Amino acid sequence: MTTTQVTQNQSSFFDVIKERRSVRAYDPAVKISREEMTEMLEEATLAPSSSNLQPWRFLVIDSPELKQKLLPIAFNQQQVVEASAVIAVLGDVKSYQKAEQIYGQAVEAGYMAADTATSFIERSVKTYSGLPSEVARQIVYTDGGLISMQLMLIARARGYDTVPMGGYNKAKFVEEFGISEQYESVMLIAIGKAATPGHPTTRLPIGDVTFFNEMPTE
């Protein structure tokens, strides 16, 4: 890759970051195919996760009837029914149960020796299965946040818009959509095509939020 190509790619990436907005008004006529939705989710799963256990799970709600069902649970935020879909990002607190499959794939791909994989599997299962519930849930919240941001940037790069939603009745969502206790509801992400562009927002000066080597005393 030439220096010019690298510069162009960097410019495109930074444009995506700068153009991402939290959009709350969507064109209800725009539909995202399940094929493209699957592609975006697959790209998002390249995000990092604790011990590569990939605890994220996605419930994609694109049925008009189910979006209407979700509307009051999400405190009647109109983007729920106007967006092409709402993606519920869930965290699997028993993701260690897939350790054998995950590390087995690494062996098949030539990324890891078989004996190393066996060691990783044993250690991961022992460690993660023994974690206190609050620790396990904090881990999937962290990993769920990482993949959610990646998904929103991927959507913007493809010309779509998103808004992350933490304002919904999680208990009611879990009940109404049959989410088992194995999964933690991390957030909802509305995705579609903006009917009204998201407005730019300001950020605190970087000097107010960044400190080198030590924190201020006050």
Side-chain angles (χ1 to χ4, degrees):
M1 184 176 293
T2 67
T3 302
T4 300
Q5 288 174 317
V6 170
T7 302
Q8 289 174 340
N9 287 342
Q10 288 177 334
S11 176
S12 176
F13 173 71
F14 289 124
D15 287 344
V16 167
I17 293 174
K18 292 175 181 178
E19 291 169 2
R20 187 210 60 79
R21 298 281 187 268
S22 290
V23 170
R24 291 176 173 79
Y26 290 86
D27 182 348
V30 174
K31 306 300 179 186
I32 299 175
S33 71
R34 291 193 173 181
E35 179 182 11
E36 187 172 17
M37 184 71 74
T38 300
E39 288 175 357
M40 286 191 284
L41 292 171
E42 186 173 25
E43 291 163 353
T45 61
L46 295 174
S49 62
S50 180
S51 296
N52 195 32
L53 289 179
Q54 306 162 48
W56 38 69
R57 306 291 181 261
F58 307 107
L59 177 61
V60 181
I61 302 168
D62 60 5
S63 156
E65 293 78 17
L66 289 180
K67 288 194 289 182
Q68 284 291 343
K69 179 180 179 180
L70 180 60
L71 184 61
I73 296 172
F75 307 133
N76 296 309
Q77 297 179 75
Q78 197 62 23
Q79 64 263 27
V80 166
V81 291
E82 291 179 347
S84 300
V86 177
I87 302 169
V89 180
L90 309 172
D92 185 353
V93 297
K94 295 184 179 180
S95 59
Y96 58 84
Q97 293 177 339
K98 291 189 178 292
E100 186 172 352
Q101 177 184 351
I102 291 168
Y103 290 115
Q105 289 176 332
V107 172
E108 291 176 6
Y111 299 152
M112 183 178 288
D115 57 345
T116 303
T118 298
S119 176
F120 270 64
I121 292 166
E122 292 175 351
R123 184 164 62 249
S124 296
V125 171
K126 180 179 179 181
T127 299
Y128 287 87
S129 64
L131 290 175
S133 175
E134 62 273 17
V135 175
R137 294 184 184 280
Q138 182 57 54
I139 289 172
V140 299
Y141 262 103
T142 299
D143 291 346
L146 288 169
I147 199 167
S148 294
M149 189 69 254
Q150 181 133 313
L151 175 59
M152 289 186 284
L153 292 176
I154 288 167
R156 180 82 293 272
R158 285 174 172 260
Y160 296 114
D161 302 284
T162 57
V163 60
M165 301 165 60
Y168 60 102
N169 187 326
K170 290 192 176 185
K172 193 68 173 175
F173 171 72
V174 164
E175 176 187 349
E176 293 295 323
F177 284 83
I179 311 298
S180 79
E181 291 184 357
Q182 180 172 336
Y183 305 105
E184 186 72 18
S185 181
V186 177
M187 72 177 72
L188 303 177
I189 300 175
I191 180 171
K193 197 78 170 179
T196 304
H199 60 80
T201 57
T202 60
R203 292 293 186 268
L204 291 168
I206 196 64
D208 287 1
V209 299
T210 305
F211 314 99
F212 290 92
N213 300 319
E214 60 182 13
M215 294 295 292
T217 55
E218 295 183 0

